[in-house]
Amino acid sequence: MGFRNFWDFNIALLGKQGWRLITRPNSLSSRVFKARYYPQGTFFNAQLGSNPSFIWRSILEAQDLVHNGTRWLVGNGCNIPVLGEPWLPDDTNPFITTNHPSLTNTRVCNLMTVGEAKWETELLLDIFEERDWSLITKIPLNLVTTEDHYFWSKDGSGIYTVKSAYTLLQGLKGQWYGEEDASFWHQLWSMKIPSKIQNLRRGRKVATVCWAIWGARNELVWKRKSFNPSDIVAFANRYLDQWRCAQSSDMESSWPLLRARDVVERWTAPHGNSVKLNVDAAMFNSGEQYGIGLVVRNGSGLLIEGRTRLFYGQVEPVLAEAIGIREALSWIKDSRWQDVYVETDCLNVVQAIHCSTEMISLFGLVIKDCKNLLANLNNVSVSFIKRSANVVAHSFARAAILYPDCSFSLESVPTELLLSLVAEVVI
């Protein structure tokens, strides 16, 4: 029924202490543990040792879990050994598999062009096997300025969370029953009803969720002797949908940030002398390239200027959207516009910008750049809109593959992009 395995949950909690040992090496506890148990190594290759304390024995239980979810974020590459460290963008095996004598004691920075933030392509082709050099060249180097550091790859913030660690542990043990089933139980326990009703649903005349679950279970037992959680979910989902439909009239939205009626279906012109900047991203060539579209319009709905940017490298779509917002804010900083509404159809980016949580992932560092830009801009807001209200920016983003790094006025905009502007006005 979605209850956690207490042993595994405890391991996930202990993993947080292990995470602190590797990300806060200068803290007193980290220095004490290192001096006692791994003076010449790291937490990842530490051993139990002789006469270990109960605390160390406990933390070491989570060593494999922390190791499986931790990755290096490549900055200048000076602190990352090429061999034996998890720095490749591969969930299954983030380690270099090429066996070449020149790689011994080599740092990642030695694989880059001197004085430039790009990979030495010819060197990679000469030394590495195809699998390795292909993964290396997918790592973007010029998106942010940062030092090499560890990040937690199982959470968008890049910081270790017990929830993501527990989920990872279930996956490693093959005990997680899948996203669909997890989503079902999450919906069940997240319903905004009193706990006593959520747990027992006593004294109600209507069909209830919990009774639906037990009814599904009893029905399955009656039909056959054996069943699994997925079977119960399949039967109970039908009752859950009916119950939610019946309750939809008086239940609040489960989205704390936005509600359906707060999000516009179509583009609207800004008020007065303000301008509106719509931004979107598009992926090309199986994610090897991505384009950014920027469209600025005035209170009359007329195009002031449009831009396209084409980037090379493999990034997640949400990261491409964040980069688009950063491009938009940088553009505003260099312009003379006073009141600007920035709109994007990527909810995750908007939530991240308005969230105070620290983030050390690549996505988080781009969001940090966005926050810094916003802090130095007056009368600029970033908000979420539906995809249907962002079609022109999406058209410009898709056009980046044909018109990379171009600027357009209303008089010079290409015909296919002009048609998208006209179509939006007509709609």
Side-chain angles (χ1 to χ4, degrees):
M1 295 185 68
F3 294 115
R4 293 184 175 92
N5 179 298
F6 288 153
W7 174 266
D8 291 346
F9 188 68
N10 188 54
I11 295 297
L13 287 168
L14 290 168
K16 194 165 189 177
Q17 306 308 316
W19 173 255
R20 287 173 175 169
L21 292 180
I22 64 173
T23 57
R24 302 179 184 178
N26 296 322
S27 67
L28 179 59
S29 58
S30 297
R31 287 184 288 160
V32 169
F33 277 112
K34 181 173 177 60
R36 174 66 175 84
Y37 296 107
Y38 50 98
Q40 305 301 324
T42 67
F43 172 73
F44 292 136
N45 55 30
Q47 302 295 319
L48 190 60
S50 60
N51 194 26
S53 68
F54 175 76
I55 295 177
W56 174 246
R57 187 187 296 272
S58 300
I59 294 176
L60 206 63
E61 287 284 339
Q63 184 186 52
D64 288 341
L65 172 62
V66 178
H67 200 191
N68 270 287
T70 300
R71 300 289 186 270
W72 276 104
L73 181 62
V74 179
N76 56 26
C78 295
N79 298 317
I80 311 175
V82 172
L83 300 178
E85 291 290 337
W87 61 281
L88 296 182
D90 186 343
D91 287 338
T92 306
N93 181 18
F95 299 90
I96 291 290
T97 58
T98 301
N99 185 13
H100 195 283
S102 64
L103 296 178
T104 305
N105 299 322
T106 300
R107 300 278 170 169
V108 172
C109 60
N110 301 132
L111 308 178
M112 303 177 188
T113 303
V114 178
E116 298 183 53
K118 67 178 184 179
W119 298 108
E120 190 64 61
T121 308
E122 293 186 5
L123 177 65
L124 299 180
L125 293 173
D126 288 340
I127 296 178
F128 292 96
E129 297 174 358
E130 181 179 357
R131 177 260 181 188
D132 288 345
W133 66 253
S134 176
L135 288 173
I136 293 173
T137 54
K138 291 178 181 178
I139 301 175
L141 295 178
N142 56 354
L143 293 183
V144 293
T145 301
T146 182
E147 297 292 327
D148 303 321
H149 64 265
Y150 285 121
F151 74 99
W152 181 249
S153 64
K154 304 306 176 181
D155 189 87
S157 68
I159 297 176
Y160 184 98
T161 63
V162 175
K163 178 181 178 180
S164 63
Y166 179 82
T167 302
L168 171 60
L169 185 57
Q170 300 312 296
L172 293 173
K173 297 176 69 174
Q175 295 181 357
W176 199 246
Y177 44 77
E179 291 296 328
E180 269 187 43
D181 301 343
S183 176
F184 169 80
W185 293 114
H186 176 74
Q187 293 178 49
L188 170 61
W189 298 120
S190 298
M191 285 183 172
K192 296 182 179 181
I193 53 179
S195 298
K196 65 179 182 180
I197 297 176
Q198 189 179 56
N199 291 332
L200 299 177
R201 302 292 294 173
R202 291 178 178 172
R204 300 295 289 261
K205 296 181 180 180
V206 297
T208 62
V209 176
C210 288
W211 287 121
I213 295 169
W214 287 112
R217 181 257 185 196
N218 293 335
E219 183 178 353
L220 287 166
V221 170
W222 180 77
K223 287 185 175 181
R224 57 180 185 266
K225 294 183 179 180
S226 63
F227 60 91
N228 56 56
S230 296
D231 296 326
I232 296 181
V233 170
F235 275 75
N237 252 322
R238 178 180 57 201
Y239 297 101
L240 176 61
D241 290 340
Q242 293 173 357
W243 188 90
R244 293 182 66 191
C245 181
Q247 297 294 321
S248 61
S249 60
D250 58 2
M251 286 188 66
E252 296 179 1
S253 169
S254 60
W255 290 97
L257 180 64
L258 296 167
R259 291 170 295 181
R261 63 175 178 267
D262 296 327
V263 183
V264 296
E265 294 281 353
R266 54 176 297 179
W267 187 87
T268 57
H271 299 291
N273 296 323
S274 60
V275 299
K276 182 171 287 188
L277 196 164
N278 289 79
V279 55
D280 200 10
M283 312 302 292
F284 307 118
N285 300 327
S286 301
E288 298 292 338
Q289 295 173 288
Y290 56 99
I292 303 296
L294 306 166
V295 179
V296 182
R297 283 168 284 185
N298 60 20
S300 301
L302 296 177
L303 177 71
I304 299 176
E305 188 175 352
R307 283 189 177 183
T308 60
R309 290 291 311 277
L310 183 65
F311 294 84
Y312 297 87
Q314 189 173 60
V315 299
E316 294 293 326
V318 68
L319 177 56
E321 298 283 0
I323 293 169
I325 294 293
R326 187 175 64 179
E327 288 292 315
L329 296 175
S330 297
W331 189 14
I332 295 171
K333 182 180 178 181
D334 297 333
S335 71
R336 297 181 179 179
W337 302 315
Q338 298 299 318
D339 298 309
V340 186
Y341 298 94
V342 179
E343 293 183 337
T344 173
D345 56 23
C346 184
L347 179 60
N348 288 340
V349 172
V350 175
Q351 288 177 322
I353 289 175
H354 294 293
C355 178
S356 60
T357 303
E358 179 188 7
M359 293 186 286
I360 60 174
S361 62
L362 186 56
F363 171 74
L365 294 175
V366 174
I367 292 296
K368 184 178 180 180
D369 289 344
C370 293
K371 290 181 178 181
N372 291 336
L373 285 166
L374 272 173
N376 294 312
L377 294 172
N378 296 321
N379 300 322
V380 176
S381 64
V382 178
S383 58
F384 168 72
I385 58 170
K386 288 190 175 182
R387 183 68 174 271
S388 58
N390 208 34
V391 292
V392 176
H394 184 66
S395 297
F396 272 72
R398 289 174 58 87
I401 194 71
L402 299 175
Y403 309 98
D405 305 330
C406 291
S407 295
F408 306 103
S409 64
L410 183 60
E411 293 76 18
S412 65
V413 65
T415 303
E416 60 270 28
L417 298 181
L418 183 61
L419 289 174
S420 67
L421 282 165
V422 174
E424 188 169 70
V425 172
V426 172
I427 293 173

